Amino acid sequence: MAGRGVAKGKRGERDVIAMLTVVQQTRYQAAGWTFAEKEGRRIARPPARVVAPDNALGEIRRNLEQSRGGGADVIGLPGFSIEIKNHSQLNLTAWWRQTLRQAQPGELPVLIYKAGRGVWRVKTLGSVGCIDACTVDIEFDTFLKFFADVMDKRLAAFAITKKRRTKT
């Protein structure tokens, strides 16, 4: 029985990562980045006018060391600490505590969860009518829009035009 739960969790992680990757690659392409295959991985390359390293915003993938060394379920997204739960019963209080515990300073704790045959939802920190960050529970599609906006802002930060050398 425990094996089924682990498989369901891994499947959930893969499903969520696939959806985040689609958003990430769409935003890269909208900003003029291209992709190249390198050692079996898809590497994002910036346009000529942008000064940024390849895959500057990270490659989204499962944290294969999480059971041994701890940490978030998803790595490769600077500024985010993402925990994914795909269980038959909700245990939000414990899951949220784990998410907060695993987030490093400066990272936004994000719990993406689903119970049974339900839909994916997201619990994170936000500021909806409160002075400081408060806990918000939103639909996964809403989180994907937020994630796309964050990607756009990060890509815009890299959009530094290379200076042309002038003869003096």
Side-chain angles (χ1 to χ4, degrees), residues 23-92:
V23 171
Q24 183 187 48
Q25 291 181 357
T26 301
R27 303 325 304 156
Y28 270 133
Q29 289 171 332
W33 290 49
T34 57
F35 293 92
E37 293 291 329
K38 184 176 181 181
E39 298 174 5
R41 300 167 102 172
R42 195 165 192 219
I43 305 295
R45 304 256 166 134
R49 71 182 186 285
V50 173
V51 179
D54 290 345
N55 268 10
L57 302 179
E59 176 191 356
I60 305 170
R61 61 190 186 281
R62 288 181 61 231
N63 179 4
L64 300 176
E65 298 293 320
Q66 63 186 307
S67 55
R68 189 175 336 164
D73 290 342
V74 178
I75 56 177
L77 288 174
F80 290 91
S81 178
I82 299 178
E83 184 68 27
I84 301 171
K85 298 294 183 184
N86 183 14
H87 289 270
S88 57
Q89 294 186 358
L90 286 177
N91 193 354
L92 281 176

Side-chain angles (χ1 to χ4, degrees), residues 2-168:
R4 266 182 66 193
V6 171
K8 186 175 181 182
K10 287 180 184 178
R11 185 174 59 250
E13 290 173 6
R14 288 185 189 104
D15 290 350
V16 168
I17 288 169
M19 291 182 271
L20 291 172
T21 300
V22 167
V23 171
Q24 183 187 48
Q25 291 181 357
T26 301
R27 303 325 304 156
Y28 270 133
Q29 289 171 332
W33 290 49
T34 57
F35 293 92
E37 293 291 329
K38 184 176 181 181
E39 298 174 5
R41 300 167 102 172
R42 195 165 192 219
I43 305 295
R45 304 256 166 134
R49 71 182 186 285
V50 173
V51 179
D54 290 345
N55 268 10
L57 302 179
E59 176 191 356
I60 305 170
R61 61 190 186 281
R62 288 181 61 231
N63 179 4
L64 300 176
E65 298 293 320
Q66 63 186 307
S67 55
R68 189 175 336 164
D73 290 342
V74 178
I75 56 177
L77 288 174
F80 290 91
S81 178
I82 299 178
E83 184 68 27
I84 301 171
K85 298 294 183 184
N86 183 14
H87 289 270
S88 57
Q89 294 186 358
L90 286 177
N91 193 354
L92 281 176
T93 303
W95 296 344
W96 183 239
R97 271 194 230 122
Q98 178 186 3
T99 304
L100 292 173
R101 204 173 40 248
Q102 292 177 166
Q104 299 298 312
E107 291 182 331
L108 177 67
V110 178
L111 170 63
I112 302 173
Y113 67 92
K114 179 168 94 165
R117 297 179 190 261
V119 297
W120 288 106
R121 295 207 44 93
V122 177
K123 187 170 187 171
T124 188
L125 298 177
S127 55
V128 182
C130 54
I131 296 170
D132 294 322
C134 55
T135 304
V136 295
D137 193 286
I138 58 177
E139 294 176 351
F140 187 65
D141 286 344
T142 302
F143 176 75
L144 289 178
K145 290 174 187 168
F146 164 75
F147 178 63
D149 187 51
V150 169
M151 289 291 303
D152 288 343
K153 288 176 181 168
R154 289 182 179 177
L155 287 165
F158 285 120
I160 302 167
T161 305
K162 291 182 179 177
K163 295 181 181 178
R164 292 184 183 177
R165 290 186 175 169
T166 56
K167 294 181 181 179
T168 55

